[in-house]
Amino acid sequence: RAAAVAALGRVARLAELCRALRRSDARADGPGWAQARDEAEAALRELRELVRPLREPGYGEALRRKAERARKRRVRLQRRRLEARAAKEEEKARAAEREAKIDQWRAKCIQEVEEKNRERELKAAADSVLSEVRKKQADTKRMVDVLRGLEKLRKLRKEAAARKGVCPPPSADEAFENQVESLKMLLKTRTELYEAEERALRVMLEGEQEEERKREMEKKQKKEREKLLQQKLEMDSKLFGDPAEFPLAHLLQPFRDYYLQAEHSVAALIQIRHEWDQYLVPADHPEGSCIPPGWVLPSLPTNDTWATAVR
């Protein structure tokens, strides 16, 4: 490149000197013409020296190879930059997917913890109220025992006073009995009220436990459904190929439609069942077997040629 640029500069200088020679010749300027000629000859010698390496045998081929290597290097560097950019974008996409999965998992864990905390708080509150009700029931029972003790004590004192010849007036007995009956009615009412509260709390706790068992059952059923769906996807992938690799518009789609036509047509289902029913045999039949409950998966390849065809 440097030689070409220098040569172009000398060519431009020669062109200018040639024009100067023509002007000097036209004016019949001898000294000026001689000076321009000398300068033109010097410029021509310099130009020949510059272009001499370019005219050597093999120089053009070497220059072409060098340019080709430079072009390949530029292409290689560009491809590496594109690959690095694609790898960076792919890594960014994977990182975003990982972050999304982590956020989903974290939200699920937080939700489970919050549900457990709410259940624990509700159970603790119910247990607290239940223990308070039981405490009230215990206090009521203790008051009943105290009331019975008072009745027994008065009876003993009355008997002791009667042996000494002292008899209380009937009004005192009536007032005591009235007071005792009033207290018994009050304690009975409170006992019934506390028992009703205890039953209500027990019903609420049983309802919460039933809800918890129901949620656990739903979670278990959801896991079972997901497991069955995954098994079905794996089985379909073995039978019909990977959906990502074989989209719906793939040439295997007609075969897939044929094998799954019973899921979309009652007439096809009846026809297929009729064909299957022709081969119904008991499980212990020596010349056949019963219809399998699911898909019959293909066996593994027995040789390399088969394996190549499967792949």
Side-chain angles (χ1 to χ4, degrees), residues 111-181:
Q111 184 179 1
E112 291 178 355
V113 171
E114 290 179 351
E115 288 180 357
K116 290 182 179 179
N117 290 335
R118 285 196 298 268
E119 293 172 1
R120 191 181 300 110
E121 291 175 357
L122 182 60
K123 186 176 180 181
D127 291 340
S128 176
V129 176
L130 185 60
S131 63
E132 187 69 23
V133 171
R134 288 176 177 173
K135 182 179 179 182
K136 292 178 180 179
Q137 288 178 341
D139 293 340
T140 305
K141 186 178 180 181
R142 188 167 54 252
M143 292 173 66
V144 171
D145 294 337
V146 170
L147 190 58
R148 289 175 181 173
L150 288 174
E151 289 179 337
K152 187 177 181 180
L153 179 61
R154 189 176 188 284
K155 182 179 179 182
L156 293 175
R157 288 184 176 180
K158 186 178 178 181
E159 291 176 355
R163 286 194 296 269
K164 293 179 181 179
V166 178
C167 295
S171 58
D173 294 338
E174 185 179 358
F176 180 78
E177 291 176 359
N178 292 335
Q179 188 68 26
V180 169
E181 288 297 327

Side-chain angles (χ1 to χ4, degrees), residues 66-92:
K66 186 175 181 181
E68 183 66 18
R69 286 196 299 271
R71 187 188 66 79
K72 290 182 178 179
R73 182 173 179 272
R74 288 194 301 271
V75 172
R76 186 169 58 254
L77 292 176
Q78 185 178 6
R79 185 173 62 252
R80 288 180 180 176
R81 286 195 298 270
L82 293 176
E83 291 176 354
R85 187 182 304 168
K88 187 176 181 180
E89 293 178 355
E90 185 177 358
E91 179 62 26
K92 187 184 296 184

Side-chain angles (χ1 to χ4, degrees), residues 1 178 265 270:
R1 187 184 294 111
N178 292 335
S265 174
I270 295 175

